[in-house]
């Protein structure tokens, strides 16, 4: 990221992480929350964070009700997005 001379201006993070990847990232996400990041998360990610005592704001997926990911991104309501789909198939269409 820094190699492209880009920077992250704030601490608002949108998370949408496939089920099999969530356990691997949980401690890292907790560390970000403890460092003052504001977390936004889609359904499954939001539920997992809540179950582990990590505060996040629920956001619907782009094709669902509002508030949704599309609105959050287009209004520049987040500074960084971590989107890891459930399956990594290159022919799969996802909300991401």
């Amino acid at each position: 990221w820094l190699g492209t001379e880009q920077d992250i201006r704030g601490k608002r993070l949108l998370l949408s992480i496939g089920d099999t990847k969530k356990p691997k990232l949980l401690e890292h996400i907790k560390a970000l929350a403890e460092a003052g990041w504001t977390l936004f998360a889609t359904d499954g990610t939001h539920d997992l964070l809540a179950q582990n005592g990590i505060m996040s704001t629920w956001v619907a997926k782009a094709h669902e009700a509002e508030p949704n990911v599309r609105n959050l991104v287009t209004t520049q309501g987040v500074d960084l997005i971590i989107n890891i789909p459930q399956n990594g198939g290159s022919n799969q269409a996802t909300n991401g």
Side-chain angles (χ1 to χ4, degrees), residues 26-69:
L26 189 57
E27 288 305 312
H28 301 289
I29 294 168
K30 184 176 183 179
L32 289 171
E34 290 171 353
W37 284 76
T38 300
L39 306 178
F40 298 87
T42 55
D43 288 327
T45 304
H46 174 74
D47 291 345
L48 179 75
L49 296 178
Q51 291 166 9
N52 286 277
I54 301 170
M55 177 71 174
S56 68
T57 300
W58 172 81
V59 180
K61 293 184 179 179
H63 68 280
E64 298 173 347
E66 294 184 15
N68 65 39
V69 171

Side-chain angles (χ1 to χ4, degrees), residues 4-96:
T4 63
E5 298 182 10
Q6 296 181 24
D7 60 346
I8 302 170
R9 296 188 178 123
K11 288 187 162 188
R12 299 172 299 172
L13 174 62
L14 171 60
L15 298 161
S16 185
I17 302 168
D19 289 337
T20 60
K21 311 297 190 241
K22 287 179 177 101
K24 296 176 184 177
L25 295 173
L26 189 57
E27 288 305 312
H28 301 289
I29 294 168
K30 184 176 183 179
L32 289 171
E34 290 171 353
W37 284 76
T38 300
L39 306 178
F40 298 87
T42 55
D43 288 327
T45 304
H46 174 74
D47 291 345
L48 179 75
L49 296 178
Q51 291 166 9
N52 286 277
I54 301 170
M55 177 71 174
S56 68
T57 300
W58 172 81
V59 180
K61 293 184 179 179
H63 68 280
E64 298 173 347
E66 294 184 15
N68 65 39
V69 171
R70 181 176 304 177
N71 301 114
L72 193 60
V73 172
T74 58
T75 61
Q76 298 181 359
V78 293
D79 302 297
L80 182 65
I81 300 169
I82 297 176
N83 178 33
I84 303 172
Q86 177 65 27
N87 298 315
S90 61
N91 294 327
Q92 180 182 358
T94 68
N95 279 304

